[in-house]
């Protein structure tokens, strides 16, 4: 009953009441996986990153096979600007699901954010190979390859300009 009430509070955007109710559930039943999970998601959404990540990790301590907690932990790390941690989580998940288009896409996004464009392009290509309908991966790949060509062209222009400057100084 408390869980339904917590969910209703959250649905009605009564976030603090939802948090209090999830905490009440955990106080009554410390290993209530769903309460820890939902509390973790609410915390992250509210910008309470350490608390949210802690709750998601608690879920995995209680139930190491709770897949959604792994996915959400990767998302939480990413949302909380802990990209290296998100990268580790998604790479680990990819070991068990090597053809998962979403994980490849997520890795592509992180590599893009880190300025590792070659790795980003490789991951996005894998995402599309796994799911040819992954429009997000297609769009990002197009942006990166267009950007890469633009950067390369700009680099060539600078090189040509330097050559021209050397000719003029002779």
């Amino acid at each position: 009953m408390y869980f339904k009430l917590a969910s209703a509070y959250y649905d009605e955007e009564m976030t603090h009441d939802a948090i209090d109710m999830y905490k009440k559930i955990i106080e009554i039943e410390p290993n209530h996986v769903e309460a820890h999970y939902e509390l973790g998601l609410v915390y992250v959404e509210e910008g309470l990153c350490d608390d949210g990540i802690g709750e998601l990790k608690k879920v995995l301590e209680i139930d190491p096979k709770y897949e959604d907690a792994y996915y959400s932990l990767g998302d939480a790390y990413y949302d909380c600007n802990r990209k290296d941690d998100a990268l580790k989580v998604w790479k680990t998940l990819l070991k068990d699901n090597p053809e998962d288009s979403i994980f490849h896409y997520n890795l592509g996004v992180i590599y893009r954010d880190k300025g590792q464009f070659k790795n980003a392009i490789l991951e996005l290509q894998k995402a599309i190979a796994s799911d040819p309908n992954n429009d997000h991966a297609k769009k990002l790949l197009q942006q990166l390859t267009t950007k890469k060509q633009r950067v390369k062209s700009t680099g060539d222009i600078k090189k040509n300009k330097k050559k021209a400057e050397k000719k003029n100084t002779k």
Side-chain angles (χ1 to χ4, degrees):
M1 185 166 130
Y2 286 126
F3 191 80
K4 288 182 181 182
L5 186 55
S7 297
Y9 281 143
Y10 184 74
D11 291 343
E12 293 299 317
E13 299 181 13
M14 299 170 67
T15 307
H16 295 293
D17 292 323
I19 289 171
D20 290 342
M21 195 55 56
Y22 287 126
K23 286 179 177 180
K24 179 75 172 166
I25 296 165
I26 293 167
E27 183 181 307
I28 295 168
E29 190 179 333
N31 290 330
H32 194 290
V33 174
E34 288 294 322
H36 282 287
Y37 179 74
E38 293 297 329
L39 182 58
L41 296 179
V42 173
Y43 277 151
V44 170
E45 189 174 296
E46 291 296 306
L48 302 168
C49 291
D50 291 338
D51 293 331
I53 290 167
E55 289 297 326
L56 293 171
K57 286 180 173 181
K58 181 69 176 173
V59 170
L60 294 171
E61 286 175 23
I62 298 167
D63 183 1
K65 295 182 181 185
Y66 196 102
E67 283 188 6
D68 285 349
Y70 281 109
Y71 305 145
S72 296
L73 183 60
D75 292 343
Y77 281 137
Y78 183 81
D79 292 344
C80 295
N81 204 26
R82 291 175 56 179
K83 292 181 175 69
D84 289 334
D85 291 324
L87 189 68
K88 287 177 191 171
V89 169
W90 286 327
K91 279 184 171 183
T92 300
L93 289 168
L94 202 54
K95 288 177 186 174
D96 293 332
N97 304 292
E99 300 299 317
D100 192 301
S101 181
I102 293 170
F103 295 145
H104 285 294
Y105 171 76
N106 288 350
L107 289 174
V109 170
I110 288 179
Y111 285 131
R112 178 213 51 201
D113 292 351
K114 293 170 67 72
Q116 298 176 11
F117 298 113
K118 286 182 182 179
N119 288 339
I121 289 168
L122 288 172
E123 289 300 333
L124 293 169
Q125 289 170 337
K126 290 176 186 176
I128 295 166
S130 295
D131 178 7
N133 296 319
N134 187 332
D135 293 332
H136 293 291
K138 288 178 183 178
K139 183 178 178 181
L140 184 55
L141 180 61
Q142 182 180 11
Q143 289 171 351
L144 290 177
T145 53
T146 302
K147 182 178 181 178
K148 187 177 178 183
Q149 288 173 356
R150 235 187 344 241
V151 169
K152 186 176 182 181
S153 297
T154 304
D156 291 341
I157 291 170
K158 288 180 182 177
K159 288 178 186 174
N160 291 334
K161 186 176 178 182
K162 286 181 182 178
K163 287 179 185 176
E165 288 171 1
K166 285 181 183 178
K167 285 181 185 177
N168 292 335
T169 58
K170 288 183 178 179

